[in-house]
Amino acid sequence: MKIKLYQDDLPSNLNLGLTIAIDTETMGLNPIRDKLCLVQISKGNNISHLVKINDIKKKPKNLIKILKNNKIKKIFHFARFDVAVLKHSYGINIKNIYCTKIASKIIRTYTDKHGYKDLCSELLNISISKTEQTSDWGGELSKAQMKYAATDVLYLHKIKKKLDIMLSREKRIDLAEACFKFIEYRTDLDLGGWPDLDIFRH
Ligand code: MN
């Protein structure tokens, strides 16, 4: 794995292709309260690009351009959170989303283990550590934090490939796609004041 760290934005000349894996680290799990600290992106070639967000009021032009490009597919794990944070931080609506957690829940109905670590382990036979998950992302990053953050986007392309084979086999691609498309509205509900309500429930 190769890690590239940038301050405040991606370089303008970086070509990440048409399918990117993306993840964020924040100060906590509330997308309105908790500040965005880091954005990780990979094109699936074993290189992780980390953007440290030092000033949330400064718009990362190049990063936002990629996020707003509807031709680029963005693979997340638990897109609902990252998409809400990015929407709240920069006022952008991200489309063309793939969420490995949703895909897993729709197809791996034989288990309740849908974490990134679980998918790496079962689908790719790779064991990863999640010990830095709950650390303080607001200050200078440690080597361990950088490695953890970079690893979070390293395997999403491969996981997607495996899940897509299963979704196709069981004819659930359309259902998964419909859920991915709903994420932009789910995050609107989250940020608009309905974070915990299941609006479909009686
Ligand atoms: Mn992460």
Side-chain angles (χ1 to χ4, degrees):
M1 167 174 65
K2 214 165 145 186
I3 302 175
K4 301 211 173 171
L5 178 67
Y6 313 100
Q7 302 298 323
D8 300 308
D9 198 0
L10 289 169
S12 58
N13 57 356
L14 191 63
N15 182 4
L16 292 166
L18 284 177
T19 310
I20 58 168
I22 170 162
D23 185 36
T24 65
E25 303 302 333
T26 63
M27 286 304 290
L29 293 176
N30 182 319
I32 295 170
R33 180 193 62 195
D34 298 323
K35 198 176 56 141
L36 175 66
C37 300
L38 191 72
V39 180
Q40 308 100 280
I41 295 185
S42 176
K43 63 189 282 188
N45 58 352
N46 216 32
I47 302 173
S48 287
H49 302 272
L50 313 186
V51 181
K52 177 97 172 76
I53 307 297
N54 298 299
D55 180 357
I56 197 69
K57 290 200 185 77
K58 251 168 73 189
K59 300 256 184 262
K61 247 183 23 213
N62 301 322
L63 172 64
I64 287 175
K65 201 171 149 196
I66 288 174
L67 296 177
K68 281 174 77 175
N69 185 338
N70 295 342
K71 291 197 186 101
I72 297 177
K73 185 167 293 293
K74 296 102 187 162
I75 315 171
F76 295 88
H77 184 77
F78 196 47
R80 179 177 175 181
F81 180 76
D82 302 298
V83 170
V85 167
L86 291 163
K87 183 176 278 190
H88 179 67
S89 302
Y90 301 126
I92 53 169
N93 188 33
I94 299 173
K95 288 175 181 272
N96 203 353
I97 293 167
Y98 188 102
C99 176
T100 50
K101 195 177 191 104
I102 288 176
S104 176
K105 283 182 179 174
I106 285 177
I107 201 60
R108 294 173 64 251
T109 44
Y110 50 84
T111 177
D112 60 357
K113 291 191 161 53
H114 303 288
Y116 178 66
K117 188 184 164 83
D118 304 314
L119 298 181
C120 285
S121 158
E122 188 194 297
L123 301 177
L124 309 177
N125 236 321
I126 291 168
S127 92
I128 60 159
S129 152
K130 287 300 263 183
T131 47
E132 296 296 324
Q133 186 165 32
T134 51
S135 62
D136 173 12
W137 293 96
E140 280 293 314
L141 298 181
S142 69
K143 276 256 160 0
Q145 280 181 312
M146 285 190 15
K147 195 174 160 214
Y148 163 80
T151 305
D152 266 359
V153 288
L154 212 59
Y155 303 116
L156 289 175
H157 288 77
K158 288 194 180 105
I159 290 171
K160 174 183 181 296
K161 222 175 183 176
K162 294 274 183 179
L163 291 169
D164 279 346
I165 291 169
M166 297 169 82
L167 285 168
S168 160
R169 189 188 74 209
E170 303 299 327
K171 310 215 168 11
R172 290 195 190 150
I173 290 220
D174 289 353
L175 186 57
E177 280 294 338
C179 294
F180 302 155
K181 285 209 178 85
F182 186 67
I183 290 168
E184 65 172 296
Y185 304 107
R186 182 59 266 184
T187 51
D188 283 342
L189 290 165
D190 288 341
L191 296 173
W194 298 266
D196 299 318
L197 191 71
D198 176 359
I199 46 152
F200 293 105
R201 197 167 170 172
H202 188 299

